Amino acid sequence: MTQEEDIAAEAAAETHGPTHSGFVALIGPTNAGKSTLVNRLVGAKVSIVSHKVQTTRAIVRGIAIHDNAQIVFMDTPGIFKPRRRLDRAMVTSAWGGAKDADLIMLLIDSERGLRGDAEAILEGLKEVQQPKILVLNKIDRVNREDLLALAAAANEKIAFERTFMISAENGSGCDDVMDYLASTLPEGPWYYPEDQISDLPMRQLAAEITREKLFLRLHQELPYSSHVETEKWEERQDGSVRIEQVIYVERDSQKKIALGKGGETIKAISTAARKELSEILEQPVHLFLFVKVRENWGDDPERFREMGLEFPR
């Protein structure tokens, strides 16, 4: 047993009654609100969020404790019809996460309903054996009659164990989801120490935070052909940390967009990322961003490994 497992076992032993633990794969169409929901249920930011579709690229695990249960949420990339190699890797990762979980949580945007990708996902779920629950998100934007009709239509296609109606944005209905998961997951020891909220290495989380700020700032101008890597991480004697990151783009024209006139854009991205990283790390952060052109990085197996994705042949 590893030291982490020892710590987890001790933490579990201090709780009252038998402990439960398990993995819950959160799947759904792009922009259904999966990352927002994981952050809400974990109670901290473990997955980046933007209005741009396909923001999540690889599986991010967020860890929550509820009653005597440790719930490991697997925030998977949105499932959609892939066009590029990166798209195929993301969709494969999402379905792989679903098949590895103890329970599958399908999240549907109540406003969009079962149109498009949601319909295809329901068909795909018929081949997955794990128990499934349906979660209708953004219920504050849809009237009750339409919600009930949507729930009925989805349950006609898949035998869901339960249906929940929530708002990931304001937390409505989320406690009911947590109560159900805590009582349903298998009895057993916890997988992680009690105070751990994610299995994402801090260097990778830092890169994800910067990528989020990049998307938020340039969601219209910069396409998906951008990637952030943390190249250096230095803990300094004064208690601060120096982080150097590289934003990779595919063309010089994209580099100019990322830098902005007089470096204004990259400075704004750096300021926003540094502020959030300082709050997460609870220490001063010196963040240095560089923009480099790497043509066709979307066809480089090494970049896929950096993102935690299998390189599709």
Side-chain angles (χ1 to χ4, degrees):
M1 183 177 284
T2 67
Q3 184 178 6
E4 282 194 351
E5 288 172 333
D6 284 334
I7 296 171
E10 290 174 9
E14 292 174 0
T15 64
H16 302 291
T19 57
H20 295 253
S21 59
F23 290 82
V24 177
L26 188 53
I27 71 170
T30 56
N31 253 4
K34 296 184 298 298
S35 296
T36 301
L37 180 57
V38 167
N39 292 339
R40 166 72 63 180
L41 297 179
V42 171
K45 185 166 186 172
V46 295
S47 192
I48 68 171
V49 178
S50 86
H51 295 300
K52 195 162 188 170
V53 299
Q54 303 153 30
T55 301
T56 300
R57 284 179 173 168
I59 292 176
V60 177
R61 292 176 180 85
I63 305 159
I65 306 296
H66 190 76
D67 295 336
N68 285 357
Q70 185 178 74
I71 307 164
V72 185
F73 292 101
M74 302 161 69
D75 180 15
T76 64
I79 297 175
F80 57 101
K81 187 175 182 179
R83 297 183 179 87
R84 307 163 301 165
R85 192 189 296 271
L86 177 58
D87 297 343
R88 297 202 308 273
M90 290 162 57
V91 172
T92 299
S93 174
W95 281 117
K99 292 173 182 176
D100 289 340
D102 295 291
L103 184 145
I104 296 171
M105 182 189 302
L106 173 62
L107 188 68
I108 296 293
D109 181 335
S110 297
E111 284 189 299
R112 296 206 305 258
L114 301 183
R115 297 190 299 273
D117 294 327
E119 188 80 42
I121 293 170
L122 284 168
E123 287 300 313
L125 279 176
K126 293 178 180 178
E127 307 300 320
V128 181
Q129 301 303 312
Q130 285 88 336
K132 310 163 190 69
I133 63 173
L134 173 67
V135 179
L136 302 182
N137 190 25
K138 305 179 185 180
I139 60 169
D140 48 324
R141 305 179 188 180
V142 181
N143 65 57
R144 181 171 176 79
E145 291 74 18
D146 290 340
L147 284 172
L148 293 174
L150 175 58
N155 277 274
E156 282 181 10
K157 297 178 181 294
I158 294 286
F160 291 103
E161 305 288 328
R162 287 281 299 274
T163 297
F164 295 90
M165 300 185 183
I166 68 150
S167 168
E169 193 70 38
N170 63 34
S172 174
C174 290
D175 286 343
D176 293 336
V177 175
M178 293 295 280
D179 288 343
Y180 176 80
L181 295 176
S183 63
T184 302
L185 289 176
E187 187 174 322
W190 292 352
Y191 292 97
Y192 299 94
E194 187 173 7
D195 60 351
Q196 187 171 339
I197 61 171
S198 175
D199 70 345
L200 199 65
M202 189 51 67
R203 291 170 68 103
Q204 192 173 341
L205 177 61
E208 287 289 275
I209 294 294
T210 300
R211 187 164 68 90
E212 177 190 59
K213 306 312 176 192
L214 182 72
F215 275 12
L216 291 173
R217 178 82 182 192
L218 298 171
H219 65 281
Q220 291 180 330
E221 295 93 332
L222 195 66
Y224 287 100
S225 48
S226 58
H227 171 57
V228 181
E229 291 182 16
T230 300
E231 293 206 331
K232 292 185 180 179
W233 186 292
E234 178 190 354
E235 297 285 347
R236 304 176 66 174
Q237 291 184 347
D238 61 2
S240 66
V241 58
R242 176 189 172 94
I243 303 171
E244 294 184 13
Q245 296 178 332
V246 177
I247 298 170
Y248 288 105
V249 294
E250 289 189 320
R251 296 188 296 275
D252 281 323
S253 59
Q254 296 170 359
K255 180 177 179 178
K256 291 176 182 176
I257 292 172
L259 290 172
K261 186 177 181 180
E264 178 182 345
T265 301
I266 198 70
K267 288 176 185 176
I269 293 168
S270 178
T271 298
R274 183 173 64 247
K275 181 176 183 297
E276 183 157 332
L277 284 169
S278 295
E279 293 171 355
I280 292 173
L281 296 171
E282 297 182 341
Q283 64 186 124
V285 170
H286 306 282
L287 179 62
F288 298 87
L289 299 183
F290 306 91
V291 183
K292 295 182 180 180
V293 176
R294 178 176 278 158
E295 294 183 5
N296 301 318
W297 70 259
D299 294 321
D300 182 357
E302 182 61 30
R303 304 282 73 76
F304 281 71
R305 283 192 288 273
E306 285 284 343
M307 290 185 281
L309 293 170
E310 291 287 334
F311 184 74
R313 298 295 175 179

